[in-house]
Amino acid sequence: MEIGTVHSLDIVEEMRNAYLDYAMSVIVARALPDARDGLKPVHRRILYAMYDMGLRPDSPYKKSARIVGEVLGKYHPHGDIAVYEAMARMAQDFSMRYPLVDGQGNFGSIDGDSPAAMRYTEARLNRIAMELLLDIEKGTVEWLDNFDGTLQEPSVLPARFPNLLVNGSSGIAVGMATNIPPHNLSEVCDALCFLIDRWDELDDVSVEDLLGFVEGPDFPTGGTIVGQEGILQAYATGHGRIVVRAMAHMEELAGNRHRIVVTELPYQTNKSALLERIAELVREGRLPDISDLRDESDKRGMSIVIELKRGASPQETLAGLFKHTAMQSTFSVQMLALVNGEPRLLSLKRALQLYIEHRLQVLTRRSQYELTRARERAHILEGLKTALDHLDAVVQTIRESPDAETARGRLTERFALTEVQAQAILDMQLRRLAALERQKIEDEYLELIQRIAYLEDLLASPRKVLYLIKVETQELRKAYGDGRRTRIIRAEAEAEAGAAQVATEEPVPIALTHRGYVRRLAAGHARAEAGAERLVRALPAGAADATLGEDRDEVLTRLDVCALDTLLFVSSRGKAYQERVYQIPSPDRAPAGVPLASVLALDADEHTVAVLPVASFDGPGQLVMVTRLGRVKRLPLAECGALRPGGVSVISLEGRDELVWARLEGDGADLLIVTAQGQALRFPAESVRPTGRAAGGVNAIKLEPGDRVIGACVAAAGSDLLLATAKGFGKRVAVDEFTPKGRAGKGVRCFGGSAKTTGPLVAARVVGPADTALFISKAGVLWRIPVSLIPRASRDARGAKLVELGSGDDLVRVEVNPRVE
């Protein structure tokens, strides 16, 4: 570039090119492992530097600072902390399923403790790490210049064992990330042998076939994997979510007390942070049954002891620990690795196939290298044999030559030798002239001829190279294979087998109260919850005043479900949460129930709009949702299975929109949507196409300015629609009066009279004649009114005054329950 010359550049294009270069550098040179040896560049450089330093498993340890300096100075010109942390992780038996570095000193702990400074620790290669570097001097891999071009470093290691799957990998690049779980070496070796045997029919090998060998991830810290759906998805597509639980058992103590002993934790769980979290939950009252917590871990293994109060249920406490702490966590599998220098998402079969292809190339190159060296050595031995056969003439030729150069030339001419052979004869020691030494040359030559024939035959038959890979894989399994550490539970029901006292098939009544509590009712519970009901007198309108005591926590919703069912909570923020029925505290443990906020991770401005019992998420049903701004959505029920503890968004809401209604419904139903200004629209639910969780729904009803949806229902034939206004007016309207129309229309009037007199509509509920309605005011006053006492009227009628409100008070909510006798 000429000095003083100004070039015009497009800054957008320049930044785009610079960022792409940076992104590819991070992806290829730092964050993602190679699919062949499962190593990132920093790990590969550390291992090769230690190998080059002679730090074999049988050699003395060397200071970690010395190793880090070697790596920095020769191959990896980045921060010393990054190099030391990478080396320390390869020495941690709680991070690596098969550690590659043999560390001496403090290399960190599962409590989150950092390794000691590099000047205090020492390291050398582990025995299994030598398998990664085996035959690296035999031309098995390509070599690259180091950062300053003064040295060579391997672009990949020969990798005699499948490190990518066996030890896994994790890393975050630009716009992508990888998270490959570790696996059991014996299982992976068996899967490799299975694939090799069917190398010509790879297309016929399914993920189910491979699952017969690789059961699932095998974490170094053990634990329990719940269910196989996530494993199957991860192995088939390269992406999936695996639920991992701690391993715990219960011990009975004297005095009707129990304790829970945790012996294994989910992978990458910090034990100290877990203890702090449990203690915090106890202080907050969310795990009230825990009386003592201590860590009794030692050299023999992990032992977290959780002692419970007298009479406490260990099953319920353990379920709470799984729900609220890292004793149950989700491992998100993202099997992303570099293939030919490009990031690729790998299935299990593809990962195994790439490793076999790499070993094919390595063994082919090794065989070619050994063949070349064998031919060179045989060539020299042929010259030595010629010299020994004509020993006197060779000696005479050498003695008559004035110098070595002349002697070499005369030998090549007189005995038809090459310069290499002639030089070998000149370099031959006199002791090789003894008869025994001459026989050794003959024997070595015969062995080389046989070796050359074997290598030539091997290189001519790829099938034999594959068989050699299988033999080496079986040897590897025999030398390093061990049993599984992580247990896999086939189904969720089996995972909950320990809660047999809770999880029965008998009906369990569940109640939700107006103060936001959820509780399991006692068996045989009937009219006890309605005992405070006081029907005093009939009003002129035919309704009944049933004002209840404001100090009572009145039941709003009662569900009769099975203990193994799942409660699906749908919130106003468009999120869905799950809770198993058996995890709701029993009446003897929590008579008043527990706050929903301690069961669900609800935000301060978030509340539930529906609680739906689900026996199985495999059914054909749909979750139908309606928002305040008139949007409707149908979501397949299967999309709601296996939600995260923090909930999952099931609808995308715009602006200040929120959910007002949700219901599980099959095909063939009609939806009836009601607005605050008294408009109602009935249309077939099937007119709404089912969409995924990320979708925002479609228009359900056209709203006038200032109007909003206050409720929706399924229009069941023969039922009534209960409507109530803010000023206490209400009525029943036959659902059949609402004729089905097209979606997204304005609808028809459903409530007459002046809005100034009645106030806007606040509730719309489908009711039956035997139901009871619970009216709730802004001031917290409740009225329980039998539906049969609420007058029926036409769509245009105003309705009757149902409740007398205090000054400044408004009706805000109506709940309907079947009458309990």
Side-chain angles (χ1 to χ4, degrees), residues 305-349:
V305 179
I306 304 169
E307 292 195 358
L308 308 183
K309 296 177 181 177
R310 186 185 307 276
S313 169
Q315 291 89 353
E316 293 181 8
T317 303
L318 186 58
L321 289 168
F322 285 148
K323 180 174 181 59
H324 298 294
T325 74
M327 282 180 60
Q328 175 172 306
S329 61
T330 301
F331 188 94
S332 296
V333 179
Q334 185 80 1
M335 296 179 64
L336 192 71
L338 295 176
V339 180
N340 297 325
E342 298 179 354
R344 291 287 183 267
L345 194 63
L346 306 177
S347 65
L348 175 63
K349 184 172 81 169

Side-chain angles (χ1 to χ4, degrees), residues 161-210:
F161 84 101
N163 184 62
L164 180 71
L165 289 173
V166 167
N167 274 323
S169 183
S170 63
I172 300 175
V174 179
M176 59 185 66
T178 184
N179 200 26
I180 303 174
H183 291 80
N184 183 270
L185 177 61
S186 299
E187 294 180 359
V188 174
C189 288
D190 290 341
L192 286 170
C193 294
F194 177 79
L195 275 188
I196 291 172
D197 290 339
R198 290 156 181 79
W199 190 250
D200 296 330
E201 299 88 24
L202 277 183
D203 292 341
D204 297 331
V205 176
S206 65
V207 65
E208 288 80 7
D209 295 331
L210 296 176

Side-chain angles (χ1 to χ4, degrees), residues 21 25 97 100 135 174 177 180 182 199 233 293 339 352 413 503 524 560 740 779 792:
D21 291 342
S25 174
R97 183 62 177 82
L100 302 177
D135 300 325
V174 179
I180 303 174
W199 190 250
Q233 182 182 10
L293 172 67
V339 180
L352 294 170
E413 293 176 2
D560 289 318
R792 299 185 69 176

Side-chain angles (χ1 to χ4, degrees), residues 297-408:
S297 305
D298 53 24
K299 292 182 178 180
R300 294 173 296 178
M302 181 184 299
S303 179
I304 300 174
V305 179
I306 304 169
E307 292 195 358
L308 308 183
K309 296 177 181 177
R310 186 185 307 276
S313 169
Q315 291 89 353
E316 293 181 8
T317 303
L318 186 58
L321 289 168
F322 285 148
K323 180 174 181 59
H324 298 294
T325 74
M327 282 180 60
Q328 175 172 306
S329 61
T330 301
F331 188 94
S332 296
V333 179
Q334 185 80 1
M335 296 179 64
L336 192 71
L338 295 176
V339 180
N340 297 325
E342 298 179 354
R344 291 287 183 267
L345 194 63
L346 306 177
S347 65
L348 175 63
K349 184 172 81 169
R350 182 60 178 156
L352 294 170
Q353 181 183 354
L354 287 171
Y355 173 75
I356 295 174
E357 290 174 353
H358 174 57
R359 288 301 295 168
L360 268 171
Q361 186 178 25
V362 167
L363 292 189
T364 299
R365 293 178 63 134
R366 184 185 73 182
S367 300
Q368 291 172 340
Y369 176 90
E370 291 179 349
L371 179 60
T372 300
R373 297 296 178 269
R375 285 172 175 170
E376 291 174 353
R377 180 59 179 166
H379 181 66
I380 291 175
L381 291 177
E382 287 172 354
L384 295 180
K385 285 181 60 183
T386 299
L388 293 175
D389 292 339
H390 306 85
L391 184 58
D392 294 340
V394 168
V395 171
Q396 181 181 0
T397 301
I398 295 174
R399 290 181 63 183
E400 292 175 352
S401 301
D403 52 41
E405 186 68 26
T406 304
R408 183 167 58 248

